[in-house]
Amino acid sequence: MLARRDFHRISAATALGAGVGAGTGGTAIGAARGEAPPNCEVVETDTEIVVDNGPVRIAVSKTSASRLTSLRLHGQELLGAGGRGNYDMNNAMEGDPLPLPPTQNTYEIRRGDDFVDIAFRYSPTNGGPFWLERHHIVRAGEPGIHLATVFQHPPELHGFRSDQHRYVCYLDPELFTHVSVEDDPIGQPWRAGAARMPTPAELAAAPVVMDATHDLAGLGSAYPRRYYTKYDWATYLKDHVVHGLYGNGYGIWAVQPNREAFCGGPVRQDLTLHQTTSRPVLLVEPQATHYGSPPVRVAAGQAWEKTYGPYFVHLSRGDDPARMRAEALRYASFDAHRDLYDRVALPGWTPSARRCTVHGRIRLDGEPHLRGAVAMLSDNRLDFQRTALGYAYWTEVNPGGVFRLPDVRPGTYRLTVYRPGTWGEYVRDDVTVPAGGRIDLGELRWEPPRNGRTVFQLGNPDRTSAEFRRGDEFRQWGTARFFKADFPDGVVYTVGRSGNDDWNYLQFQRVDGEPVPPWRIRFDLDRPVRPGATATLTVALAAWAMDTARDVPPLPSNLTIGVNDLRLVWTFAPDDARGATYRSACGGRHYRREFRFDAAALRRTGNEITLAINEGTPPELGNEAAYDAIRLEID
């Protein structure tokens, strides 16, 4: 952390009107002058800034810059002894360093009629060549705090990569004993029955089997599962807006209705909260690469800025967790904070008057209803899963194909529509969204890819492998331990006789250190292949992932596909293989590829497709595949 002498109070004059002076010795800033907002008192000392809005009192450190050192609700400290709230990041320089501007680390206390914004501004460094602002915003009378981060990279600075940045609340372990996270929309529901966390002492005594993953066997823990890992509590972003911890009459909830800055779009999964060996933590994590979403990468000469948030942390009292969660959900809409955020006017924030509503209607050939379809706007000319530099918006399409995306920032976007059970996506680039008002994209015709008659299809193209063996149990660590008993003779799928239970939800390269034989699909043709026909094998992967928690080797990996005597190799760059599957997932970054070949390679009967991970690669490579769906067509 930067020392206090590295920070300077900037001018009291702000766009919001009269600022507050630099007080010391615990003077109530503004209250003594009659200038403070109603029910919102600010006290500044040599070491901290304290804001009290009535129900909530926070203290932000000036010596451990921008760290939250106290968080009280109606007088009750929620952080506990040694707890804290802080922003953290995982950045790395890319390219040669360029000259940096002089260090100008500053802080400011901004006031509106009913809010206080504590803003710390950090100068660029070699590891973080950007201007960075971190904000704690308190509104008079409101039971919570708002958090935001602003990045600004001018073109004269060198490049960088950011894999993760987030806000973490380290909370009182004696107070918060239970968690509240909705179940995934797929798989078996289990979270309500596992709401009580293991204690920090239990985790400290439990053997570590992977990072942040403990074996609780024999400890007598009230937690109902043998293995505890933070990854089990990840969620899909599509519909997720609230997660929280509660206990002993108090609750704390991360409320995220405005997810426009989140990387990866609606299919991204990420961490929410967990227990540690010292205390529970609550996370607000708009940028992370855990499940295959991309890092932020900004090059020298590239101008980039982005505002993350604000996000709301709601505080509650009560003994009914369902009621407390419902109370937090009242804040889980853009409209709940619209007026406040427009008035706070963070750098890079687009006010409501300049936001646009985007309408359209999608028509899908052969499908009268589009239940489950999702429409989204994301970074232009880029797979929506890889959105990181810009903003993204998504919504469900109604059964008639109509979609509406409100509160979109002006800009140029890619429109994508996807639907579970339908191959491919509808994609339209260069969608220009004006400032304010509404835009109607009209009727859009979606023609999914077809390459002839279907010989067979294995699985459902829904971006997960949840329909296969063990797929509905995916939120647990170490499912490779079931594989040998489930498939003693290996994985062999016979078209026309086998079902989804004959195909495991993950293909492992190794189990217990031993290579797993290639998986096999056996099939016959119902008619001879005509001369000159082309076959198309489409393989959709719900994830291509590392096999354990370790650094990604700087080597390409591969999936080798045999079609009788034909060999097809799908090569992946090192960064394509992220950690989705060992992090308790049945999907991550989605991949799809069509392999076309002379249909003469197929026989009337006795055909076999084999799938092998990393044939002919160095032994340090270890990968896993989650299959979404596989389809063979002949024209």
Side-chain angles (χ1 to χ4, degrees):
M1 287 294 179
L2 297 168
R4 177 177 176 272
R5 64 177 178 271
D6 292 324
F7 280 84
H8 305 280
R9 186 77 132 83
I10 67 173
S11 168
T14 72
L16 305 175
V20 293
T24 59
T27 302
I29 304 302
R33 304 176 182 176
E35 297 175 353
N39 301 318
C40 211
E41 182 182 79
V42 181
V43 174
E44 183 177 1
T45 72
D46 287 341
T47 59
E48 66 181 4
I49 303 161
V50 178
V51 181
D52 190 330
N53 75 345
V56 175
R57 179 184 182 274
I58 70 168
V60 178
S61 174
K62 292 160 63 177
T63 53
S64 296
S66 74
R67 173 174 288 188
L68 190 71
T69 56
S70 179
L71 177 62
R72 293 179 178 269
L73 176 64
H74 300 295
Q76 172 64 52
E77 178 60 66
L78 304 184
L79 301 182
R84 66 189 187 276
N86 64 267
Y87 292 94
D88 66 24
M89 299 186 296
N90 183 0
N91 303 318
M93 179 178 67
E94 293 200 329
D96 296 330
L98 293 173
L100 298 173
T103 299
Q104 302 174 56
N105 295 322
T106 59
Y107 69 95
E108 180 182 15
I109 305 171
R110 305 166 66 237
R111 287 196 328 228
D113 290 340
D114 62 345
F115 70 85
V116 172
D117 173 20
I118 303 172
F120 278 79
R121 183 171 172 85
Y122 299 79
S123 297
T125 64
N126 279 330
F130 42 74
W131 294 95
L132 176 68
E133 290 187 15
R134 291 172 168 170
H135 294 259
H136 292 83
I137 304 163
V138 178
R139 189 179 194 178
E142 191 174 57
I145 60 173
H146 301 261
L147 307 167
T149 314
V150 180
F151 288 80
Q152 295 172 324
H153 178 272
E156 62 269 18
L157 296 181
H158 56 265
F160 73 96
R161 168 184 175 136
S162 180
D163 283 336
Q164 174 178 275
H165 63 82
R166 61 185 184 175
Y167 195 91
V168 189
C169 287
Y170 296 84
L171 300 162
D172 186 345
E174 300 300 322
L175 203 61
F176 296 104
T177 56
H178 291 69
V179 304
S180 176
V181 181
E182 77 277 11
D183 278 300
D184 289 295
I186 53 175
Q188 296 179 354
W190 61 273
R191 284 177 170 157
R196 183 176 183 86
M197 297 181 289
T199 67
E202 288 168 349
L203 290 190
V208 176
V209 296
M210 194 183 77
D211 75 300
T213 305
H214 302 259
D215 185 353
L216 298 170
L219 293 179
S221 174
Y223 189 67
R225 308 178 110 203
R226 174 174 175 177
Y227 297 98
Y228 182 85
T229 176
K230 65 183 181 181
Y231 301 118
D232 287 354
W233 296 93
T235 62
Y236 283 91
L237 288 188
K238 177 179 170 289
D239 299 310
H240 176 74
V241 290
V242 169
H243 55 271
L245 298 112
Y246 63 91
N248 298 291
Y250 290 89
I252 182 169
W253 310 85
V255 183
Q256 301 163 160
N258 171 29
R259 292 158 292 167
E260 64 185 8
F262 275 62
C263 69
V267 297
R268 174 187 155 198
Q269 302 163 74
D270 226 309
L271 310 181
T272 56
L273 45 73
H274 59 277
Q275 182 68 282
T276 74
T277 56
S278 61
R279 61 184 62 248
V281 300
L282 181 78
L283 304 173
V284 178
E285 196 148 7
Q287 171 63 41
T289 60
H290 292 112
Y291 290 85
S293 294
V296 167
R297 301 187 91 143
V298 180
Q302 181 178 359
W304 174 76
E305 62 180 45
K306 188 169 180 179
T307 299
Y308 293 85
Y311 308 112
F312 186 52
V313 176
H314 175 67
L315 311 178
S316 58
R317 288 195 300 185
D319 296 318
D320 182 348
R323 184 192 63 76
M324 286 194 289
R325 182 180 179 87
E327 183 181 311
L329 281 166
R330 292 197 330 233
Y331 295 89
S333 73
F334 192 89
D335 286 342
H337 311 284
R338 181 190 300 273
D339 172 67
L340 173 66
Y341 293 168
D342 284 353
R343 289 185 292 109
V344 171
L346 294 175
W349 177 256
T350 298
S352 298
R354 287 182 51 79
R355 291 174 178 261
C356 181
T357 298
V358 179
H359 295 262
R361 183 174 185 178
I362 189 78
R363 290 287 196 183
L364 178 61
D365 284 357
E367 295 284 350
H369 301 291
L370 274 83
R371 291 184 181 89
V374 177
M376 68 172 306
L377 294 169
S378 59
D379 285 357
N380 196 35
R381 299 186 175 274
L382 190 68
D383 181 346
F384 75 85
Q385 300 175 106
R386 296 176 181 264
T387 288
L389 293 180
Y391 299 91
Y393 306 86
W394 59 85
T395 187
E396 288 191 356
V397 177
N398 77 17
V402 175
F403 61 87
R404 176 179 176 272
L405 291 157
D407 298 307
V408 178
R409 291 168 174 255
T412 303
Y413 296 90
R414 165 175 283 192
L415 171 70
T416 304
V417 182
Y418 69 89
R419 177 175 178 257
T422 301
W423 288 89
E425 303 95 22
Y426 173 87
V427 174
R428 175 176 166 181
D429 282 314
D430 303 319
V431 175
T432 300
V433 175
R438 66 189 297 273
I439 179 174
D440 191 343
L441 301 179
E443 186 166 293
L444 311 168
R445 194 169 191 83
W446 179 10
E447 298 180 5
R450 296 292 304 179
N451 300 287
R453 64 181 179 89
T454 298
V455 176
F456 72 82
Q457 179 172 307
L458 191 161
N460 181 42
D462 61 359
R463 297 177 176 269
T464 81
S465 60
E467 68 265 39
F468 300 123
R469 175 81 72 93
R470 302 276 179 186
D472 60 351
E473 307 167 30
F474 66 95
R475 289 286 188 217
Q476 60 175 313
W477 173 81
T479 56
R481 66 186 187 275
F482 306 128
F483 183 75
K484 288 183 178 180
D486 286 347
F487 295 93
D489 301 318
V491 174
V492 180
Y493 185 97
T494 302
V495 174
R497 295 196 344 233
S498 297
N500 286 342
D501 210 41
D502 297 307
W503 192 261
N504 200 51
Y505 89 103
L506 296 183
Q507 181 179 11
F508 307 105
Q509 182 179 342
R510 304 180 189 93
V511 171
D512 297 332
E514 300 177 5
V516 173
W519 288 17
R520 303 178 185 279
I521 303 171
R522 293 174 175 165
F523 64 97
D524 298 330
L525 301 181
D526 62 357
R527 69 190 78 165
V529 173
R530 66 172 179 80
T534 297
T536 302
L537 180 68
T538 304
V539 180
L541 296 177
W544 179 258
M546 297 292 295
D547 61 355
T548 191
R550 59 191 175 97
D551 291 338
V552 178
L555 299 167
S557 51
N558 72 66
L559 177 67
T560 299
I561 303 167
V563 183
N564 294 332
D565 298 325
L566 182 67
R567 285 292 177 269
L568 308 168
V569 180
W570 189 351
T571 301
F572 297 88
D575 200 50
D576 289 338
R578 307 303 298 181
T581 57
Y582 73 70
R583 291 185 171 112
S584 305
C586 64
R589 186 189 299 174
H590 187 264
Y591 296 92
R592 186 181 70 252
R593 183 167 171 182
E594 294 181 345
F595 297 90
R596 290 183 173 83
F597 55 91
D598 188 341
L602 301 174
R603 299 186 283 264
R604 181 70 172 79
T605 61
N607 294 286
E608 184 174 82
I609 294 173
T610 60
L611 301 125
I613 296 177
N614 287 334
E615 278 195 353
T617 61
E620 58 264 36
L621 282 173
N623 293 94
E624 296 173 350
Y627 290 95
D628 177 14
I630 300 173
R631 180 173 71 176
L632 178 65
E633 300 164 289
I634 301 177
D635 67 8

